[in-house]
Amino acid sequence: MLFGIKDFDFYVVIGVLILFGAIETISGYLHRSKRTSSDWIQEFGSFALLGIVTKPGVVALVYSLGVALLAPFQGAFATWNMVLLFFFYMLIDDVLQYWYHRFAHEYEWLWKLHRPHHQAEEMGFFVAYRNAALYYAIMPNIWWVAIITFLGGGKVVAFGLIIKQLIIIGSHSPTKWDQYLYRIPALNPVISVLERIIVTPAFHFAHHGKSMADDISDPNGNYGNMFSIWDQLFGTAKFTRKYPTELGLMNDPKEEWTASWFYPFIKSKNQQSEISKGYRKESNKKMEPTTVQLEAGKTYLWCQCGFSKNQPFCDGSHHGTKHKPKAFQVKRDRKAKLCNCKLTKTGPFCDNSHIQVEELKA
């Protein structure tokens, strides 16, 4: 209960969804949407499952276990100053989400649960909830919500949920509310401060961009959920104040929604999909460079993970690893030898490290 109203946070979240939905409808975004029925099922289904089953289920489970095993600690935070408890809850919640989200891009098993989120080729408020069902079940900050609730912080959780949903839904909405602040010189100081604290649409859209080749996107950066401070602190922030024109995955096999949503319990029938049975990433490194013709001013993405089938260039296979492609340009049209062994110290260009390796083997 908040402000004397039972389930106040629930009504506000629904109100936020209705607000953004109305804005997107009036503005014509939904009318122009190219979403398929599969997209709508995943997005609305994930939202419903999270709100009706997963989150209440985790809270109920933790609360029951707490009462049974840790009864003396029940309500321990109830005497805390509410402002102090609110910031304590919010900061812990968001740093947990930052690292969980980052790990979902760096570890293959977790990436497969998160990749439905990045298969979306359009932004929209329901995209915020588009993930495999298991992704939310093991999300640490949902368990943190349950713990804080058991310890007597239910009111700050409810208020925090409202703030959190405003920022998250706003950062996924195609309305791009921040663009108006960028355009008005008098408001630039405001957005300059704001974007360094919270996640704005431009900041998060860059995370959903298909390729770093557009000089805007960084699918392996900008991991923040509510606050952009963690990306700045841990070196993963990219501010451009621009929006990618292409969203989604570079190499998307378009598998059926049931596999995307219920992996690993249901796997894709498409053998080219990384969530198909028996799929394994294979190294495509070679102990010799590739000579390519490069155009001046064009941005290229050099593969650093070694899994790309389009060596020496990136094809998106780095998702689920700690690698990301290296973007580069040349000042004049030229031929160049690009490294395929991934051992060069002058990447993307070959420095003959492969020869040294071969000599050591001999």
Side-chain angles (χ1 to χ4, degrees):
M1 183 177 293
L2 197 62
F3 302 123
I5 303 174
K6 186 178 180 181
D7 297 324
F8 178 80
D9 57 318
F10 171 79
Y11 294 124
V12 171
V13 170
I14 296 299
V16 170
L17 288 171
I18 293 173
L19 172 64
F20 278 97
I23 293 173
E24 292 180 21
T25 301
I26 294 170
S27 302
Y29 292 113
L30 293 183
H31 177 72
R32 295 192 299 270
S33 175
K34 296 180 181 179
R35 282 182 176 84
T36 65
S37 58
S38 175
D39 291 320
W40 285 114
I41 290 171
Q42 288 187 76
E43 292 171 18
F44 183 76
S46 293
F47 167 73
L49 185 67
L50 174 64
I52 298 173
V53 179
T54 307
K55 189 174 287 186
V58 169
V59 171
L61 175 62
V62 170
Y63 203 90
S64 298
L65 289 175
V67 170
L69 303 175
L70 300 168
F73 296 97
Q74 185 177 0
F77 288 171
T79 57
W80 278 37
N81 176 277
M82 290 293 287
V83 174
L84 177 63
L85 182 57
F86 173 75
F87 282 105
F88 173 71
Y89 157 68
M90 291 286 278
L91 289 175
I92 297 297
D93 178 272
D94 207 53
V95 76
L96 286 173
Q97 176 67 7
Y98 169 85
W99 282 108
Y100 184 65
H101 186 191
R102 182 169 174 174
F103 287 162
H105 284 262
E106 295 181 342
Y107 293 94
E108 188 175 6
W109 64 276
L110 195 53
W111 162 248
K112 291 178 180 181
L113 301 179
H114 180 54
R115 68 191 286 275
H117 189 67
H118 286 271
Q119 287 181 291
E121 296 180 340
E122 298 178 11
M123 295 296 271
F125 53 89
F126 276 131
V127 173
Y129 306 98
R130 179 174 172 157
N131 283 287
L134 187 58
Y135 182 80
Y136 287 117
I138 59 177
M139 181 179 281
N141 54 313
I142 290 181
W143 292 83
W144 173 241
V145 163
I147 292 170
I148 287 291
T149 301
F150 170 73
L151 294 174
K155 288 185 178 180
V156 299
V157 167
F159 189 65
L161 181 63
I162 294 170
I163 303 299
K164 183 174 180 177
Q165 295 307 307
L166 277 170
I167 295 174
I168 295 173
I169 295 172
S171 68
H172 284 84
S173 174
T175 55
K176 304 174 186 174
W177 61 262
D178 56 339
Q179 65 183 323
Y180 306 104
L181 301 182
Y182 300 139
R183 293 173 182 173
I184 304 173
L187 295 178
N188 258 247
V190 176
I191 190 61
S192 294
V193 173
L194 204 59
E195 68 183 354
R196 298 286 169 168
I197 300 174
I198 68 169
V199 172
T200 61
F203 187 83
H204 194 65
F205 271 53
H207 178 70
H208 278 264
K210 182 173 288 188
S211 169
M212 289 173 59
D214 63 7
D215 297 321
I216 299 173
S217 304
D218 189 359
N220 299 95
N222 291 16
Y223 297 116
N225 192 42
M226 287 185 292
F227 304 125
S228 63
I229 55 178
W230 313 119
D231 285 286
Q232 297 170 71
L233 182 62
F234 299 116
T236 53
K238 182 175 182 177
F239 295 93
T240 67
R241 296 189 173 186
K242 297 178 181 179
Y243 313 89
T245 55
E246 287 191 290
L247 307 176
L249 297 176
M250 291 176 67
N251 185 17
D252 188 351
K254 307 290 185 183
E255 62 266 325
E256 58 278 14
W257 67 267
T258 50
S260 293
W261 196 9
F262 293 112
Y263 181 86
F265 309 108
I266 298 177
K267 297 185 178 180
S268 175
K269 297 176 183 177
N270 184 342
Q271 294 304 307
Q272 301 304 311
S273 170
E274 59 187 325
I275 60 171
S276 62
K277 185 177 181 180
Y279 181 90
R280 295 288 184 275
K281 284 186 177 181
E282 297 181 356
S283 175
N284 289 297
K285 297 177 184 178
K286 295 188 296 185
M287 288 300 166
E288 60 179 343
T290 298
T291 301
V292 296
Q293 180 68 41
L294 302 175
E295 299 177 24
K298 180 178 178 179
T299 300
Y300 295 91
L301 299 182
W302 174 60
C303 168
Q304 296 195 86
C305 68
F307 293 116
S308 173
K309 298 179 178 65
N310 188 33
Q311 294 295 336
F313 301 112
C314 171
D315 70 353
S317 296
H318 60 279
H319 289 300
T321 76
K322 292 189 177 183
H323 299 282
K324 61 193 279 188
K326 181 173 183 175
F328 72 99
Q329 295 181 342
V330 292
K331 295 181 179 180
R332 59 181 177 81
D333 290 358
R334 54 173 288 200
K335 287 185 177 181
K337 290 184 178 181
L338 301 188
C339 171
N340 282 321
C341 71
K342 315 306 172 187
L343 299 173
T344 181
K345 296 178 179 63
T346 59
F349 306 106
C350 174
D351 67 356
N352 291 325
S353 292
H354 62 285
I355 295 177
Q356 299 173 29
V357 172
E358 291 299 310
E359 287 176 348
L360 288 174
K361 287 181 179 180

